[in-house]
Amino acid sequence: MMVTGTKSSGRGTFLWRINPFEVIASIWKDVVEGSKVAVPHAVGTMKTSHGSVVELELSVVLYPSEKRLVVKDGDEVHFLFPVSPAEGPEGLYVKLIEALGMIA
C-alpha cells in the first residue's frame, strides 16, 4: 500500500492509498501507440474517501481533437483529458492531481 500526500491546486490535500504510477504504467504503452493516429485521452474514475484516493481506474481512448471533462459524483471523480507522450507518465500524474483540485 502506498500512502503519499499530494497538495491539489492549493485547495486541499489528498493522500494516495494506492500507487498511481502502477496504474499509469499499465496504460502508458497505449498512450504512446495511440498518439501515432489520434489524440490519446485518459478516461477513468478516482474514488475518494476522507481526503484519500482509495481507487483509480484508468484507460485510454482516442479522439481526433482534445476534449476535457471532470465531474464529481459523490465520492467519485470521473475524468477525461488529453495525454501527451512528450509529458511522460509524470504529466499524466499532474493532470490527475489537477482533476482532484477541481473538486476539492
Side-chain angles (χ1 to χ4, degrees):
M1 176 189 320
M2 178 182 192
V3 180
T4 60
T6 301
K7 195 78 171 167
S8 301
S9 302
R11 299 164 93 182
T13 300
F14 287 90
L15 297 175
W16 291 90
R17 300 287 177 179
I18 49 95
N19 185 342
F21 285 103
E22 287 179 3
V23 181
I24 292 168
S26 74
I27 66 154
W28 195 250
K29 181 179 177 184
D30 294 334
V31 170
V32 174
E33 293 294 319
S35 71
K36 296 174 183 174
V37 295
V39 180
H41 287 68
V43 61
T45 303
M46 289 182 279
K47 185 172 183 178
T48 61
S49 177
H50 305 292
S52 295
V53 179
V54 295
E55 189 175 310
L56 173 61
E57 295 179 18
L58 190 59
S59 60
V60 177
V61 295
L62 303 175
Y63 288 108
S65 61
E66 292 188 0
K67 302 180 182 309
R68 298 176 195 280
L69 179 67
V70 177
V71 177
K72 181 177 182 184
D73 181 19
D75 62 353
E76 294 183 342
V77 179
H78 304 275
F79 56 87
L80 168 75
F81 48 74
V83 180
S84 170
E87 295 175 351
E90 298 83 1
L92 175 49
Y93 176 71
V94 168
K95 288 182 179 184
L96 291 172
I97 293 171
E98 289 172 349
L100 287 170
M102 294 175 123
I103 57 90

